[in-house]
Amino acid sequence: MRRVFSTLLLILLGAATPAAAQIPPEWQAAAQAVIGELERDTPQAAKPWTGAELTQGWNLARAWRRHNNGNIEIILAEYLMFVALCRAGCAGSTVEGQGYVGAAGEVKALIAQNGGSYALAANANTWLAGIADATGAAKKNVALWQKDPDIASADFATGNIYALSWLLARKRPTPDAQADAFARFAIFVQGKAWIGTRCLDITKVATVLGAAPRIDTCQ
């Protein structure tokens, strides 16, 4: 199977028992670096990090994984996704105000309605291609992401996060906001995305133990 970005460092979790597992420091640093970069051009950038969102995201990602497939060995994409959600608020184990179990049910139904994870990713690309956003990022992301369908679809966990990203993005009030939200969530799975006029590459953000997070610029 082709390498999938979001499976990086999974071995760190497998080395510990569920009760003893701790958040890998590389993951915490990666979350702050990536989400901080995504927030750089938003009002959220002024919000200080308290550390609580890192723990809340970890706990919510593990609860999400346990509900969906009965284990808590989360992947980096899940951790980044739920830390990002917890930055905006996830009190009561909620996903943008909805209980995570309800959100997981919507994701399962969405994947089924689209005929599976591969079909969902293809349909999400078609949807995104139809959005004429001001920066042109939507069509650039379609071109970037459709090169390798396996990234968003071959793994159960990434398929769920990608579906959740599309689900949450479509709830935004305008097409521009929908395309932008999808990019900011989908990058956790895809590893690369155009965010407005910037192309970010986070595929190497947490690949070296003990090293500072690495975020590159892509074309």
Side-chain angles (χ1 to χ4, degrees):
M1 181 183 294
R2 298 179 185 179
R3 179 182 62 83
V4 179
F5 157 69
S6 53
T7 61
L8 294 173
L9 298 182
L10 183 57
I11 192 172
L12 290 175
L13 298 185
T17 64
Q22 300 295 320
I23 312 173
E26 290 81 10
W27 286 27
Q28 296 183 72
Q32 287 185 282
V34 171
I35 295 166
E37 185 65 28
L38 293 174
E39 292 177 347
R40 184 158 63 88
D41 55 355
T42 74
Q44 190 81 349
K47 182 180 179 181
W49 285 81
T50 67
E53 56 272 83
L54 297 171
T55 301
Q56 290 170 341
W58 170 264
N59 291 333
L60 188 52
R62 281 154 66 91
W64 171 269
R65 173 61 81 95
R66 182 188 294 111
H67 174 76
N68 284 317
N69 68 344
N71 67 64
I72 53 175
E73 294 183 347
I74 64 172
I75 59 175
L76 183 56
E78 290 170 310
Y79 182 60
L80 294 176
M81 180 71 178
F82 287 104
V83 171
L85 291 171
C86 287
R87 278 282 288 168
C90 61
S93 297
T94 52
V95 175
E96 296 196 342
Q98 179 183 19
Y100 76 90
V101 172
E106 286 193 24
V107 164
K108 183 177 180 179
L110 184 63
I111 293 173
Q113 289 166 7
N114 281 271
S117 293
Y118 279 94
L120 182 142
N123 291 340
N125 277 342
T126 298
W127 166 82
L128 191 60
I131 297 179
D133 61 312
T135 65
K139 288 181 173 57
K140 290 179 182 177
N141 281 330
V142 171
L144 191 63
W145 297 341
Q146 66 185 5
K147 294 177 182 177
D148 188 352
D150 282 354
I151 292 177
S153 309
D155 182 80
F156 179 79
T158 51
N160 278 341
I161 293 298
Y162 207 64
L164 178 61
S165 299
W166 193 28
L167 181 72
L168 295 177
R170 293 194 307 178
K171 293 182 179 182
R172 298 301 192 263
T174 66
D176 273 18
Q178 291 173 353
D180 185 64
F182 191 42
R184 291 171 189 272
F185 289 140
I187 191 174
F188 301 141
V189 171
Q190 294 285 359
K192 299 177 182 180
W194 284 90
I195 308 297
T197 59
R198 298 179 292 142
C199 190
L200 302 180
D201 180 347
I202 64 169
T203 57
K204 298 180 178 64
V205 70
T207 53
V208 180
L209 298 182
R214 175 179 170 181
I215 300 176
D216 297 321
T217 298
C218 54
Q219 298 296 325

